[in-house]
Amino acid sequence: MTRYGLLILPATNRVYARSAIDLTRAELEIFGLSALDGQIGELDTEVVGGASYVTFTGDGLTERDLTVLGNLSAGYALFEIVGELLRPIEWSRLDRYDDDLLTIQKYPGKTNEQFTKLLLNVTLLASDWATEMTSRRFRVLDPLCGRGTTLNQALMYGFDAAGVERDQKDVEAYRAFITTWLKQKRVKHRVLESGPVRRERKVVGRRVRIELAPTREEHKAGQTQLLDVVNADTARSAEFFRPETVDLVVADAPYGVQHGSRTAEKGLTRDPLALLADAAPVWARLLRPGGALGISWNTHVASREDAAAALADAGLTVVDAEPYRALRHRVDQSIMRDVLVARRPA
């Protein structure tokens, strides 16, 4: 049985860095269960030369398996452990664009990029298409997309990305960022739509739709991705996207400290349960059967049991396997973040 050591990517956020090893162990176990046919075993942590490694055993990992593992949210480098020596293992990632697509934006309240990637990964791995991570072009919806961190990670993977955001300033900031970035990087793209959405002569929202591809050759061959962002209330998502057209719904809910969320009945609230009661049934209808929804929230303002009940009420089946219960971690003094993943039954 081959033994491996995974070197953790340094995190710019010190608090998240302290949680990174435990989160990586849980994420690695989820990868093993869902996409690698149970090949990952004997997870441990070891310090080698002053650096911390997550160690594990794996038998007969193929090139495809290594491509899957290359997308671990905090994975920096992989080594085979041979006695007291570390032998570098070549692996590849899904990444289609330069990494500054994820890192260049800086603004208050931005979700850590490593956590965004983890949330997308564990949601994907709960879907019926976990084994197709490296071959399927998933369609990802972030119904609380803010300034687009999740959308950018989906684009980085080569997926189609859709978002809904109530705050027009956030949508405008993201539109300005992504169009400027695409031009500066000379990424082949075409703006399909940018402006107000009107129905019965009334403005019901604003929308930005962009077709893009990482190379001119792929664009010419029609191998394009679609970015689709709507400025509207998330509970109205079904007015802009058809039922059963989304593979994954991924959302980082407002933490109820500096930011709240709005619901139709209560207006501005710091209770994520009110948001889930209002919007989760809408999100669930957009999911294809076999698709998955992943959401993170602050457990100081809502318990895991209550959040799970809200997703169950929306017709989803919560994934409650042990590694999915090991994703809870501290963000700061007022925020203890947890992750819930649920599937729409096939």
Side-chain angles (χ1 to χ4, degrees), residues 7-25 45 52-54 73-74 112-115 329-332 337:
L7 182 61
I8 301 297
L9 184 71
T12 54
N13 182 307
R14 293 184 203 172
V15 176
Y16 190 83
R18 287 194 287 269
S19 303
I21 288 179
D22 290 339
L23 290 172
T24 299
R25 289 181 58 164
T45 305
S52 295
Y53 290 77
V54 172
S73 62
N112 179 284
E113 298 96 355
Q114 287 184 25
F115 176 73
H329 61 284
R330 181 173 175 267
V331 176
D332 61 30
R337 184 164 55 193

Side-chain angles (χ1 to χ4, degrees), residues 85-149:
L85 302 178
L86 298 175
R87 184 176 72 85
I89 300 292
E90 287 193 21
W91 62 359
S92 58
R93 296 178 171 86
L94 287 173
D95 295 0
R96 309 295 302 279
Y97 303 97
D98 293 344
D99 61 7
D100 61 357
L101 173 61
L102 303 172
T103 60
I104 197 171
Q105 285 181 292
K106 305 293 182 185
Y107 53 87
K110 181 184 179 183
T111 305
N112 179 284
E113 298 96 355
Q114 287 184 25
F115 176 73
T116 298
K117 188 174 182 179
L118 181 146
L119 181 58
L120 176 57
N121 283 347
V122 299
T123 305
L124 185 157
L125 293 168
S127 75
D128 276 3
W129 313 290
T131 58
E132 301 175 46
M133 181 178 191
T134 61
S135 59
R136 181 186 180 94
R137 193 175 79 190
F138 289 81
R139 190 183 190 204
V140 180
L141 169 68
D142 183 348
L144 303 167
C145 70
R147 296 195 185 184
T149 308

Side-chain angles (χ1 to χ4, degrees), residues 225-253:
Q225 297 169 249
L226 180 64
L227 173 64
D228 189 351
V229 185
V230 175
N231 172 210
D233 190 290
T234 189
R236 296 173 51 220
S237 298
E239 296 179 26
F240 301 93
F241 302 101
R242 297 197 312 274
E244 300 185 3
T245 58
V246 172
D247 298 312
L248 310 172
V249 174
V250 181
D252 187 27

Side-chain angles (χ1 to χ4, degrees), residues 290-315:
L293 179 150
I295 188 166
S296 59
W297 81 103
N298 181 10
T299 61
H300 288 328
V301 295
S303 71
R304 183 180 182 89
E305 292 71 23
D306 287 343
L311 295 184
D313 288 344

Side-chain angles (χ1 to χ4, degrees), residues 1-72:
M1 185 72 73
T2 306
R3 190 159 166 259
Y4 296 93
L6 177 70
L7 182 61
I8 301 297
L9 184 71
T12 54
N13 182 307
R14 293 184 203 172
V15 176
Y16 190 83
R18 287 194 287 269
S19 303
I21 288 179
D22 290 339
L23 290 172
T24 299
R25 289 181 58 164
E27 185 185 7
L28 183 56
E29 189 173 353
I30 293 169
F31 266 87
L33 291 172
S34 303
L36 298 175
D37 198 26
Q39 294 184 73
I40 303 299
E42 298 182 25
L43 273 74
D44 205 347
T45 305
E46 188 173 328
V47 177
V48 180
S52 295
Y53 290 77
V54 172
T55 61
F56 62 95
T57 57
D59 190 19
L61 294 180
T62 65
E63 183 177 343
R64 175 262 175 194
D65 297 336
L66 293 173
T67 301
V68 169
L69 284 176
N71 299 294
L72 282 159

